[in-house]
Amino acid sequence: MYEDLKQKLIDAGRVLYSEGLGDYVAGHISLRLPDNPGRFLMKPAGIGIEEMSQSNIITVDLDGMKVDGASNRHNEVFIHSEVLRARPEINSVVHAHPIHTVAFSSLGRELRAVGNDGTVFHGGVPVFSETTDLITTSERGKAVASTLKKRPALILRNHGIVATGASVQESVWISLKLEKACKTQMLAEAAGGPQLFVKEEDVADKQKKSLRQDLYDNAFDYSLRNFKRTYCACCLDKEDVVGPSTFKASPGG
Ligand SMILES: [Zn+2]
């Protein structure tokens, strides 16, 4: 059931990994079921984000309870359940630990529009600093969702990111853009600090050019092709490569 949606999630994991957002078996992505909006598909705990398969993806409800699938859920499931509960227009959530964003969060600086990527987040990225620990309760998940408000992404201080989208392609795009924006600003900070920023009068047009579904789709497909060029295509879709019984039960991160 939901084969096409699961394939989209599998592909998203491969794109995130291919673009450097994997973190061993940590990090996760979810996709709301269009015919049952109180439930969502999600990567299970215990495997890399690029190792999802039709058989190991799980289904979870908005209380964070697993309702289908043999694999364990991540104990940070509440990031997904509470953001999806609070934002009915959002269908996909990414949580990852991108190193530049995490390093940037330790500076205590505001993300600025240093380049195209930073322009996407003009107006600020909320920073969740209630804790630097993992988000393992529904209360903390609710606090993350309320800090996020209607913004596309949030930084979990000294921890990682939460990125959202109406589609999987959008939540992945927002994740990649946030990491690149933080990396770009870090480079400028390391070189003495940025002196010039994207012109205010250019922000709206640049945002419009960077926030389009066709761009999300094309960039997603491009990164997926890159992943497939890099890794052995004949191994990728073998269902048994990472079935539910090939890794240890784990609450994960
Ligand atoms: Zn985490």
Side-chain angles (χ1 to χ4, degrees):
M1 219 180 161
Y2 300 121
E3 275 186 21
D4 290 351
L5 297 176
K6 286 181 177 176
Q7 189 59 48
K8 196 52 75 186
L9 220 50
I10 292 166
D11 291 344
R14 293 170 175 180
V15 168
L16 289 165
Y17 177 85
S18 178
E19 297 295 330
L21 266 64
D23 185 15
Y24 303 96
V25 295
H28 15 94
I29 179 166
S30 57
L31 173 59
R32 193 195 298 271
L33 295 177
D35 61 346
N36 193 347
R39 293 183 173 187
F40 56 93
L41 301 173
M42 186 172 169
K43 171 196 173 290
I47 59 167
I49 201 159
E50 78 283 16
E51 294 185 310
M52 282 182 280
S53 70
Q54 291 284 336
S55 67
N56 66 32
I57 289 173
I58 59 172
T59 308
V60 181
D61 67 21
L62 292 184
D63 292 324
M65 295 297 110
K66 186 176 77 174
V67 293
D68 193 35
S71 309
N72 280 8
R73 66 163 174 69
H74 280 276
N75 58 15
E76 288 196 294
V77 66
F78 303 105
I79 294 172
H80 302 262
S81 56
E82 295 303 335
V83 168
L84 290 171
R85 191 203 300 276
R87 301 275 300 275
E89 82 284 13
I90 290 303
N91 295 312
S92 179
V93 176
V94 171
H95 169 57
H97 306 146
I99 56 173
H100 296 94
T101 308
V102 173
F104 178 77
S105 80
S106 76
L107 302 179
R109 303 239 168 98
E110 190 187 339
L111 187 66
R112 304 283 306 273
V114 171
N116 294 346
D117 307 304
T119 312
V120 168
F121 305 99
H122 185 75
V125 174
V127 178
F128 182 76
S129 52
E130 182 181 301
T131 182
T132 56
D133 198 359
L134 305 191
I135 309 302
T136 57
T137 65
S138 56
E139 288 70 29
R140 281 267 155 81
K142 283 183 172 65
V144 167
S146 86
T147 304
L148 178 66
K149 296 191 172 68
K150 294 290 181 189
R151 301 294 292 169
L154 162 152
I155 294 173
L156 298 165
R157 203 193 93 190
N158 304 97
H159 174 179
I161 64 162
V162 177
T164 67
S167 64
V168 159
Q169 292 92 332
E170 183 177 359
S171 66
V172 167
W173 178 254
I174 294 296
S175 305
L176 302 181
K177 289 276 128 177
L178 181 54
E179 169 66 350
K180 277 188 73 183
C182 290
K183 185 176 181 179
T184 305
Q185 186 164 335
M186 292 264 287
L187 281 170
E189 300 276 2
Q195 302 299 311
L196 303 170
F197 298 92
V198 169
K199 292 180 177 179
E200 282 295 321
E201 68 260 34
D202 294 335
V203 167
D205 279 347
K206 281 171 78 84
Q207 280 187 336
K208 212 182 292 178
K209 292 180 179 84
S210 296
L211 297 171
R212 307 188 327 253
Q213 187 64 45
D214 65 299
L215 184 57
Y216 311 149
D217 292 346
N218 284 336
F220 186 96
D221 291 347
Y222 164 75
S223 288
L224 186 60
R225 290 195 299 275
N226 254 345
F227 178 90
K228 289 181 174 174
R229 278 193 285 266
T230 307
Y231 298 95
C232 172
C234 63
C235 296
L236 286 177
D237 295 312
K238 278 189 188 159
E239 187 57 25
D240 293 335
V241 171
V242 190
S245 60
T246 58
F247 53 93
K248 291 177 183 169
S250 159

PDB file of all heavy atoms in Angstrom, residues 113-137:
ATOM      1  N   ALA A 113      21.017  37.251   4.628  1.00  0.00           N
ATOM      2  CA  ALA A 113      21.003  36.954   3.195  1.00  0.00           C
ATOM      3  C   ALA A 113      22.360  37.299   2.595  1.00  0.00           C
ATOM      4  O   ALA A 113      22.539  38.333   1.947  1.00  0.00           O
ATOM      5  CB  ALA A 113      19.881  37.715   2.509  1.00  0.00           C
ATOM      6  N   VAL A 114      23.332  36.410   2.797  1.00  0.00           N
ATOM      7  CA  VAL A 114      24.678  36.609   2.243  1.00  0.00           C
ATOM      8  C   VAL A 114      24.681  36.246   0.756  1.00  0.00           C
ATOM      9  O   VAL A 114      25.397  36.848  -0.034  1.00  0.00           O
ATOM     10  CB  VAL A 114      25.710  35.768   3.038  1.00  0.00           C
ATOM     11  CG1 VAL A 114      27.080  35.784   2.362  1.00  0.00           C
ATOM     12  CG2 VAL A 114      25.815  36.279   4.476  1.00  0.00           C
ATOM     13  N   GLY A 115      23.891  35.248   0.384  1.00  0.00           N
ATOM     14  CA  GLY A 115      23.802  34.817  -1.021  1.00  0.00           C
ATOM     15  C   GLY A 115      22.390  34.363  -1.348  1.00  0.00           C
ATOM     16  O   GLY A 115      21.450  34.625  -0.586  1.00  0.00           O
ATOM     17  N   ASN A 116      22.259  33.644  -2.460  1.00  0.00           N
ATOM     18  CA  ASN A 116      20.925  33.197  -2.891  1.00  0.00           C
ATOM     19  C   ASN A 116      20.246  32.319  -1.840  1.00  0.00           C
ATOM     20  O   ASN A 116      19.041  32.432  -1.609  1.00  0.00           O
ATOM     21  CB  ASN A 116      21.034  32.393  -4.191  1.00  0.00           C
ATOM     22  CG  ASN A 116      21.487  33.237  -5.359  1.00  0.00           C
ATOM     23  OD1 ASN A 116      21.475  34.476  -5.279  1.00  0.00           O
ATOM     24  ND2 ASN A 116      21.897  32.595  -6.434  1.00  0.00           N
ATOM     25  N   ASP A 117      21.040  31.419  -1.244  1.00  0.00           N
ATOM     26  CA  ASP A 117      20.442  30.483  -0.285  1.00  0.00           C
ATOM     27  C   ASP A 117      19.909  31.208   0.948  1.00  0.00           C
ATOM     28  O   ASP A 117      18.811  30.921   1.422  1.00  0.00           O
ATOM     29  CB  ASP A 117      21.484  29.431   0.122  1.00  0.00           C
ATOM     30  CG  ASP A 117      22.088  28.757  -1.092  1.00  0.00           C
ATOM     31  OD1 ASP A 117      21.312  28.210  -1.895  1.00  0.00           O
ATOM     32  OD2 ASP A 117      23.317  28.799  -1.256  1.00  0.00           O
ATOM     33  N   GLY A 118      20.680  32.158   1.444  1.00  0.00           N
ATOM     34  CA  GLY A 118      20.248  32.916   2.619  1.00  0.00           C
ATOM     35  C   GLY A 118      19.012  33.755   2.336  1.00  0.00           C
ATOM     36  O   GLY A 118      18.208  34.028   3.234  1.00  0.00           O
ATOM     37  N   THR A 119      18.849  34.153   1.065  1.00  0.00           N
ATOM     38  CA  THR A 119      17.702  34.981   0.699  1.00  0.00           C
ATOM     39  C   THR A 119      16.386  34.226   0.923  1.00  0.00           C
ATOM     40  O   THR A 119      15.359  34.828   1.253  1.00  0.00           O
ATOM     41  CB  THR A 119      17.803  35.416  -0.779  1.00  0.00           C
ATOM     42  OG1 THR A 119      19.116  35.913  -1.007  1.00  0.00           O
ATOM     43  CG2 THR A 119      16.792  36.489  -1.103  1.00  0.00           C
ATOM     44  N   VAL A 120      16.443  32.906   0.751  1.00  0.00           N
ATOM     45  CA  VAL A 120      15.246  32.079   0.972  1.00  0.00           C
ATOM     46  C   VAL A 120      14.705  32.299   2.386  1.00  0.00           C
ATOM     47  O   VAL A 120      13.501  32.275   2.609  1.00  0.00           O
ATOM     48  CB  VAL A 120      15.599  30.581   0.747  1.00  0.00           C
ATOM     49  CG1 VAL A 120      14.499  29.668   1.245  1.00  0.00           C
ATOM     50  CG2 VAL A 120      15.897  30.333  -0.729  1.00  0.00           C
ATOM     51  N   PHE A 121      15.618  32.555   3.328  1.00  0.00           N
ATOM     52  CA  PHE A 121      15.225  32.650   4.740  1.00  0.00           C
ATOM     53  C   PHE A 121      15.221  34.093   5.239  1.00  0.00           C
ATOM     54  O   PHE A 121      15.264  34.335   6.439  1.00  0.00           O
ATOM     55  CB  PHE A 121      16.169  31.786   5.593  1.00  0.00           C
ATOM     56  CG  PHE A 121      16.210  30.363   5.115  1.00  0.00           C
ATOM     57  CD1 PHE A 121      17.247  29.910   4.308  1.00  0.00           C
ATOM     58  CD2 PHE A 121      15.177  29.491   5.430  1.00  0.00           C
ATOM     59  CE1 PHE A 121      17.270  28.612   3.847  1.00  0.00           C
ATOM     60  CE2 PHE A 121      15.187  28.184   4.963  1.00  0.00           C
ATOM     61  CZ  PHE A 121      16.239  27.743   4.169  1.00  0.00           C
ATOM     62  N   HIS A 122      15.183  35.041   4.284  1.00  0.00           N
ATOM     63  CA  HIS A 122      15.159  36.447   4.680  1.00  0.00           C
ATOM     64  C   HIS A 122      13.982  36.686   5.630  1.00  0.00           C
ATOM     65  O   HIS A 122      12.885  36.204   5.402  1.00  0.00           O
ATOM     66  CB  HIS A 122      14.995  37.324   3.437  1.00  0.00           C
ATOM     67  CG  HIS A 122      15.071  38.782   3.734  1.00  0.00           C
ATOM     68  ND1 HIS A 122      16.253  39.427   4.018  1.00  0.00           N
ATOM     69  CD2 HIS A 122      14.109  39.728   3.814  1.00  0.00           C
ATOM     70  CE1 HIS A 122      16.021  40.694   4.247  1.00  0.00           C
ATOM     71  NE2 HIS A 122      14.714  40.906   4.127  1.00  0.00           N
ATOM     72  N   GLY A 123      14.237  37.425   6.676  1.00  0.00           N
ATOM     73  CA  GLY A 123      13.195  37.621   7.686  1.00  0.00           C
ATOM     74  C   GLY A 123      13.465  36.772   8.913  1.00  0.00           C
ATOM     75  O   GLY A 123      12.820  36.924   9.935  1.00  0.00           O
ATOM     76  N   GLY A 124      14.456  35.903   8.796  1.00  0.00           N
ATOM     77  CA  GLY A 124      14.902  35.158   9.976  1.00  0.00           C
ATOM     78  C   GLY A 124      14.475  33.713  10.011  1.00  0.00           C
ATOM     79  O   GLY A 124      13.444  33.342   9.466  1.00  0.00           O
ATOM     80  N   VAL A 125      15.320  32.914  10.622  1.00  0.00           N
ATOM     81  CA  VAL A 125      15.002  31.508  10.880  1.00  0.00           C
ATOM     82  C   VAL A 125      14.810  31.370  12.389  1.00  0.00           C
ATOM     83  O   VAL A 125      15.724  31.730  13.149  1.00  0.00           O
ATOM     84  CB  VAL A 125      16.157  30.587  10.410  1.00  0.00           C
ATOM     85  CG1 VAL A 125      15.889  29.144  10.805  1.00  0.00           C
ATOM     86  CG2 VAL A 125      16.336  30.696   8.914  1.00  0.00           C
ATOM     87  N   PRO A 126      13.661  30.883  12.838  1.00  0.00           N
ATOM     88  CA  PRO A 126      13.489  30.713  14.283  1.00  0.00           C
ATOM     89  C   PRO A 126      14.503  29.715  14.838  1.00  0.00           C
ATOM     90  O   PRO A 126      14.884  28.759  14.155  1.00  0.00           O
ATOM     91  CB  PRO A 126      12.060  30.153  14.404  1.00  0.00           C
ATOM     92  CG  PRO A 126      11.427  30.286  13.077  1.00  0.00           C
ATOM     93  CD  PRO A 126      12.515  30.427  12.062  1.00  0.00           C
ATOM     94  N   VAL A 127      14.952  29.972  16.050  1.00  0.00           N
ATOM     95  CA  VAL A 127      15.894  29.068  16.720  1.00  0.00           C
ATOM     96  C   VAL A 127      15.228  28.519  17.971  1.00  0.00           C
ATOM     97  O   VAL A 127      14.763  29.283  18.833  1.00  0.00           O
ATOM     98  CB  VAL A 127      17.199  29.796  17.090  1.00  0.00           C
ATOM     99  CG1 VAL A 127      18.149  28.854  17.837  1.00  0.00           C
ATOM    100  CG2 VAL A 127      17.878  30.356  15.845  1.00  0.00           C
ATOM    101  N   PHE A 128      15.163  27.200  18.039  1.00  0.00           N
ATOM    102  CA  PHE A 128      14.582  26.554  19.222  1.00  0.00           C
ATOM    103  C   PHE A 128      15.696  26.325  20.227  1.00  0.00           C
ATOM    104  O   PHE A 128      16.658  25.603  19.951  1.00  0.00           O
ATOM    105  CB  PHE A 128      13.949  25.214  18.824  1.00  0.00           C
ATOM    106  CG  PHE A 128      13.279  24.507  19.966  1.00  0.00           C
ATOM    107  CD1 PHE A 128      12.041  24.922  20.433  1.00  0.00           C
ATOM    108  CD2 PHE A 128      13.893  23.427  20.589  1.00  0.00           C
ATOM    109  CE1 PHE A 128      11.417  24.272  21.494  1.00  0.00           C
ATOM    110  CE2 PHE A 128      13.281  22.773  21.648  1.00  0.00           C
ATOM    111  CZ  PHE A 128      12.043  23.200  22.095  1.00  0.00           C
ATOM    112  N   SER A 129      15.574  26.966  21.407  1.00  0.00           N
ATOM    113  CA  SER A 129      16.665  26.851  22.386  1.00  0.00           C
ATOM    114  C   SER A 129      16.168  26.441  23.764  1.00  0.00           C
ATOM    115  O   SER A 129      16.911  26.541  24.738  1.00  0.00           O
ATOM    116  CB  SER A 129      17.457  28.159  22.453  1.00  0.00           C
ATOM    117  OG  SER A 129      16.583  29.237  22.662  1.00  0.00           O
ATOM    118  N   GLU A 130      14.916  25.970  23.821  1.00  0.00           N
ATOM    119  CA  GLU A 130      14.384  25.496  25.110  1.00  0.00           C
ATOM    120  C   GLU A 130      15.247  24.355  25.652  1.00  0.00           C
ATOM    121  O   GLU A 130      15.418  24.204  26.851  1.00  0.00           O
ATOM    122  CB  GLU A 130      12.944  25.024  24.881  1.00  0.00           C
ATOM    123  CG  GLU A 130      12.224  24.541  26.106  1.00  0.00           C
ATOM    124  CD  GLU A 130      10.811  24.068  25.758  1.00  0.00           C
ATOM    125  OE1 GLU A 130      10.022  24.885  25.224  1.00  0.00           O
ATOM    126  OE2 GLU A 130      10.500  22.891  26.016  1.00  0.00           O
ATOM    127  N   THR A 131      15.762  23.534  24.733  1.00  0.00           N
ATOM    128  CA  THR A 131      16.694  22.472  25.100  1.00  0.00           C
ATOM    129  C   THR A 131      17.653  22.269  23.933  1.00  0.00           C
ATOM    130  O   THR A 131      17.317  22.624  22.795  1.00  0.00           O
ATOM    131  CB  THR A 131      15.965  21.150  25.414  1.00  0.00           C
ATOM    132  OG1 THR A 131      16.928  20.165  25.803  1.00  0.00           O
ATOM    133  CG2 THR A 131      15.210  20.628  24.205  1.00  0.00           C
ATOM    134  N   THR A 132      18.826  21.706  24.217  1.00  0.00           N
ATOM    135  CA  THR A 132      19.704  21.279  23.131  1.00  0.00           C
ATOM    136  C   THR A 132      19.665  19.758  23.002  1.00  0.00           C
ATOM    137  O   THR A 132      20.374  19.170  22.188  1.00  0.00           O
ATOM    138  CB  THR A 132      21.163  21.740  23.374  1.00  0.00           C
ATOM    139  OG1 THR A 132      21.598  21.238  24.638  1.00  0.00           O
ATOM    140  CG2 THR A 132      21.269  23.247  23.360  1.00  0.00           C
ATOM    141  N   ASP A 133      18.829  19.127  23.830  1.00  0.00           N
ATOM    142  CA  ASP A 133      18.679  17.667  23.818  1.00  0.00           C
ATOM    143  C   ASP A 133      17.735  17.255  22.683  1.00  0.00           C
ATOM    144  O   ASP A 133      17.144  18.098  21.998  1.00  0.00           O
ATOM    145  CB  ASP A 133      18.113  17.218  25.181  1.00  0.00           C
ATOM    146  CG  ASP A 133      18.314  15.737  25.441  1.00  0.00           C
ATOM    147  OD1 ASP A 133      18.867  15.036  24.571  1.00  0.00           O
ATOM    148  OD2 ASP A 133      17.877  15.275  26.519  1.00  0.00           O
ATOM    149  N   LEU A 134      17.561  15.951  22.506  1.00  0.00           N
ATOM    150  CA  LEU A 134      16.651  15.456  21.478  1.00  0.00           C
ATOM    151  C   LEU A 134      15.203  15.786  21.851  1.00  0.00           C
ATOM    152  O   LEU A 134      14.870  15.972  23.024  1.00  0.00           O
ATOM    153  CB  LEU A 134      16.812  13.934  21.327  1.00  0.00           C
ATOM    154  CG  LEU A 134      18.216  13.404  21.050  1.00  0.00           C
ATOM    155  CD1 LEU A 134      18.155  11.923  20.651  1.00  0.00           C
ATOM    156  CD2 LEU A 134      18.925  14.199  19.971  1.00  0.00           C
ATOM    157  N   ILE A 135      14.346  15.816  20.825  1.00  0.00           N
ATOM    158  CA  ILE A 135      12.927  16.165  21.025  1.00  0.00           C
ATOM    159  C   ILE A 135      12.146  14.857  21.152  1.00  0.00           C
ATOM    160  O   ILE A 135      11.672  14.303  20.153  1.00  0.00           O
ATOM    161  CB  ILE A 135      12.413  17.008  19.833  1.00  0.00           C
ATOM    162  CG1 ILE A 135      13.338  18.193  19.553  1.00  0.00           C
ATOM    163  CG2 ILE A 135      10.979  17.473  20.088  1.00  0.00           C
ATOM    164  CD1 ILE A 135      13.540  19.150  20.704  1.00  0.00           C
ATOM    165  N   THR A 136      12.009  14.364  22.382  1.00  0.00           N
ATOM    166  CA  THR A 136      11.483  13.006  22.561  1.00  0.00           C
ATOM    167  C   THR A 136      10.126  12.958  23.255  1.00  0.00           C
ATOM    168  O   THR A 136       9.683  11.878  23.646  1.00  0.00           O
ATOM    169  CB  THR A 136      12.476  12.156  23.375  1.00  0.00           C
ATOM    170  OG1 THR A 136      12.711  12.815  24.624  1.00  0.00           O
ATOM    171  CG2 THR A 136      13.796  11.996  22.632  1.00  0.00           C
ATOM    172  N   THR A 137       9.467  14.102  23.431  1.00  0.00           N
ATOM    173  CA  THR A 137       8.123  14.102  24.021  1.00  0.00           C
ATOM    174  C   THR A 137       7.201  14.948  23.155  1.00  0.00           C
ATOM    175  O   THR A 137       7.660  15.834  22.424  1.00  0.00           O
ATOM    176  CB  THR A 137       8.121  14.699  25.444  1.00  0.00           C
ATOM    177  OG1 THR A 137       8.482  16.098  25.349  1.00  0.00           O
ATOM    178  CG2 THR A 137       9.099  13.988  26.369  1.00  0.00           C
TER     179      THR A 137
END
